[in-house]
Amino acid sequence: DGGITQSPKYLFRKEGQNVTLSCEQNLNHDAMYWYRQDPGQGLRLIYYSQIVNDFQKGDIAEGYSVSREKKESFPLTVTSAQKNPTAFYLCASSLIFKAGVSDTQYFGPGTRLTVL
Amino acid sequence: GNSVTQMEGPVTLSEEAFLTINCTYTATGYPSLFWYVQYPGEGLQLLLKATKADDKGSNKGFEATYRKETTSFHLEKGSVQVSDSAVYFCALREVTGRRALTFGSGTRLQVQP
């Protein structure tokens, strides 16, 4: 089955620690995205990547870092510089837009990060 | 910049009632519009989409029509079920550049038997 997997489902971090959230897709999608969801709010874009070895900051990139060494993988590191990291993190992927090709974004199941 | 405004919830309905969740947007150009649904503790699932004015997206009894003149994309369903209880997000996708999604704040729907 094709899809997007995220791990772990739940993650606990002590203050001052860096943690890395995994996102893998086997849909052969070009673009991958990380969003953050806070209670009662919509999702906000952290980082995105449209091609291997390239990525761009989204709207709330401070305190986060990413890498895109493989097409199918886009891990997100939440660093100690992120002041309020407790949230639900969602990874998404899509094809790159081309005429006649749908570039709908599909989402993984999410990782809930809690800072202790 | 782009923005999406949804009606605040929760919306509480009895089974078989008619559902409307309002969504309006502000954007440059002609974005694509989406409704996603989120069940407790899960990621987002695409419910329906529309890519140009007057398009109607539909899925599982839900419908929404892309209204350019009113910049709206209201979600409707004729007869809701308990299993429709979830949070519904309206979103638009940027036409160019990063093509990321801009989301509304979500509307929680609670359907009672």
Side-chain angles (χ1 to χ4, degrees), chain A residues 37 48 102-105, chain B residues 36 38 49 93 98-99:
Chain A
Q37 183 180 22
Y48 67 101
S102 170
D103 63 340
T104 298
Q105 286 188 24
Chain B
Y36 283 86
Q38 185 177 37
K49 66 178 183 180
R93 189 185 61 227
R98 63 189 194 180
R99 299 184 67 74

Side-chain angles (χ1 to χ4, degrees), chain B residues 2-25:
Chain B
N2 298 331
S3 67
V4 176
T5 303
Q6 286 181 240
M7 61 188 289
E8 290 194 17
V11 173
T12 303
L13 296 173
S14 298
E15 210 164 19
E16 299 184 4
F18 184 84
L19 168 71
T20 299
I21 300 178
N22 290 337
C23 171
T24 57
Y25 68 90

Side-chain angles (χ1 to χ4, degrees), chain A residues 4 6 15 25 45 52 55 58-59 62 90 98-99 103:
Chain A
I4 304 172
Q6 292 186 243
E15 286 198 22
Q25 53 96 2
L45 181 68
V52 174
F55 49 82
D59 300 320
E62 185 176 351
L90 288 154
K98 298 176 187 174
D103 63 340

Side-chain angles (χ1 to χ4, degrees), chain A residues 9 33 35 37 40-43 45 48 50 57-59 88 90 97 102-110, chain B residues 32 34 36 38 41-46 49 87 89 93-95 97-106:
Chain A
K9 188 173 175 67
Y33 303 80
Y35 293 89
Q37 183 180 22
Q41 298 186 32
L43 283 66
L45 181 68
Y48 67 101
Q50 295 184 336
K57 292 182 179 179
D59 300 320
F88 191 46
L90 288 154
F97 178 75
S102 170
D103 63 340
T104 298
Q105 286 188 24
Y106 295 92
F107 285 80
Chain B
S32 295
F34 302 82
Y36 283 86
Q38 185 177 37
E42 297 184 9
L44 273 65
Q45 298 176 26
L46 177 66
K49 66 178 183 180
V87 180
F89 291 93
R93 189 185 61 227
E94 300 164 2
V95 178
R98 63 189 194 180
R99 299 184 67 74
L101 292 167
T102 298
F103 286 88
S105 57

Side-chain angles (χ1 to χ4, degrees), chain B residues 58-78:
Chain B
S58 61
N59 185 27
K60 299 180 182 179
F62 291 90
E63 293 183 340
T65 301
Y66 190 142
R67 302 284 187 201
K68 189 164 79 74
E69 63 277 11
T70 55
T71 61
S72 65
F73 193 54
H74 305 321
L75 182 68
E76 296 181 336
K77 186 176 185 183

